[in-house]
Amino acid sequence: MFRHKKQSGGAGQFAEVHLRIEPWYEGMPDPEALNVRGREEHPLEWGGKLVYYNCIVGGAIDARFLPSILKGVMEKMYEGPLTGSYVRDVRVSVFDGKMHPVDSNDISFKLAGLKAFKDAFGQADPQILEPIYNVEVLCPSDLTGAVMGDLQTRRAFVEGIDTEGHFQKIVAKVPLAEMADYSSSLRSITQGRAKFRLHFHEYAPVPYDLQKKLHEDYAKTAKEEE
């Protein structure tokens, strides 16, 4: 819940928004204990979806303000509350609120929606996801140990070793964040006698200690900007 209230002579700004956020997945049933009056699916430019429910009863908020709340939610999803990165696959249910006959307007409800989403997101135990890539490294057999050792410093999960032609093939899954300098590092370790290929596999949760650090670093930066 968030109440936006601003008074500065003449007409002011007022909006109060109550919303619930949850992780969304395909085939998810409608929210429980809420009176569903409308449902919208919004594919996101950066992948995933936002599913937006109107669950308001008794005219607590005019339906004409729902697009403004949605706009505020989408704005905060674009610049995620946790680390500034995109938010995806979330269900938002607006179920209550308040408005003022004079001071309520679109900008008030946009700001209230943005702040309500930010507050709810912080309380929802959100999880940062990172792209994981399949990596195959082809190297001479005498360099296998050195290559595997380097991969393990990159949070890699080594799945196995095979042969391909005259090379040993190391197969691993590695977070993309750890692969930034891999080409030059591999060249240095193997004196240019190895090569690698990679392709996207999935998004996976970031380890808790790293997520905590990313969030703390972002919160410090955001506070400084304020």
Side-chain angles (χ1 to χ4, degrees):
M1 185 277 283
F2 187 85
R3 175 181 291 178
H4 172 72
K5 187 174 182 180
K6 185 177 180 182
Q7 195 72 42
S8 56
Q13 294 180 0
F14 180 86
E16 184 175 308
V17 173
H18 298 239
L19 55 78
R20 176 198 294 178
I21 67 171
E22 303 164 274
W24 176 84
Y25 57 88
E26 199 72 51
M28 189 176 187
D30 285 343
E32 297 180 0
L34 294 177
N35 187 352
V36 176
R37 300 170 63 85
R39 179 184 187 277
E40 303 172 11
E41 281 194 17
H42 297 272
L44 303 169
E45 294 178 14
W46 51 90
K49 287 183 181 179
L50 162 65
V51 181
Y52 186 61
Y53 277 84
N54 171 11
C55 301
I56 298 168
V57 294
I61 301 174
D62 277 353
R64 64 190 173 97
F65 290 128
L66 283 168
S68 299
I69 298 171
L70 172 62
K71 191 172 181 180
V73 167
M74 292 279 278
E75 189 172 303
K76 184 42 68 174
M77 288 182 69
Y78 180 79
E79 183 187 349
L82 202 62
T83 61
S85 50
Y86 301 135
V87 176
R88 53 176 285 163
D89 296 327
V90 170
R91 178 166 77 183
V92 175
S93 305
V94 181
F95 62 89
D96 201 1
K98 292 180 182 177
M99 57 186 180
H100 187 276
V102 177
D103 293 344
S104 288
N105 50 34
D106 288 328
I107 187 63
S108 299
F109 274 98
K110 175 192 168 184
L111 292 171
L114 186 153
K115 295 287 189 179
F117 180 85
K118 179 182 177 182
D119 290 352
F121 191 82
Q123 298 170 31
D125 194 22
Q127 177 67 64
I128 299 174
L129 302 179
E130 63 179 343
I132 305 296
Y133 274 65
N134 284 321
V135 179
E136 296 178 351
V137 185
L138 302 178
C139 65
S141 57
D142 61 314
L143 295 172
T144 303
V147 172
M148 287 183 62
D150 179 68
L151 283 171
Q152 287 166 350
T153 68
R154 299 172 185 272
R155 295 193 286 128
F157 175 71
V158 177
E159 297 184 314
I161 302 175
D162 203 347
T163 57
E164 186 170 313
H166 299 296
F167 292 97
Q168 293 286 94
K169 181 172 73 172
I170 302 169
V171 181
K173 287 185 171 59
V174 191
L176 182 61
E178 304 289 347
M179 296 295 289
D181 64 341
Y182 189 64
S183 182
S184 58
S185 178
L186 183 65
R187 191 181 306 115
S188 175
I189 292 169
T190 65
Q191 294 82 48
R193 297 165 62 203
K195 55 186 178 179
F196 74 99
R197 52 192 177 229
L198 73 165
H199 59 271
F200 175 76
H201 176 64
E202 65 177 352
Y203 283 95
V206 171
Y208 174 76
D209 56 340
L210 181 55
Q211 171 163 320
K212 184 179 178 184
K213 183 180 185 305
L214 289 170
H215 178 51
E216 288 173 350
D217 290 347
Y218 177 73
K220 191 183 300 180
T221 303
K223 190 174 182 180
E224 287 172 358
E225 288 177 356
E226 288 178 5

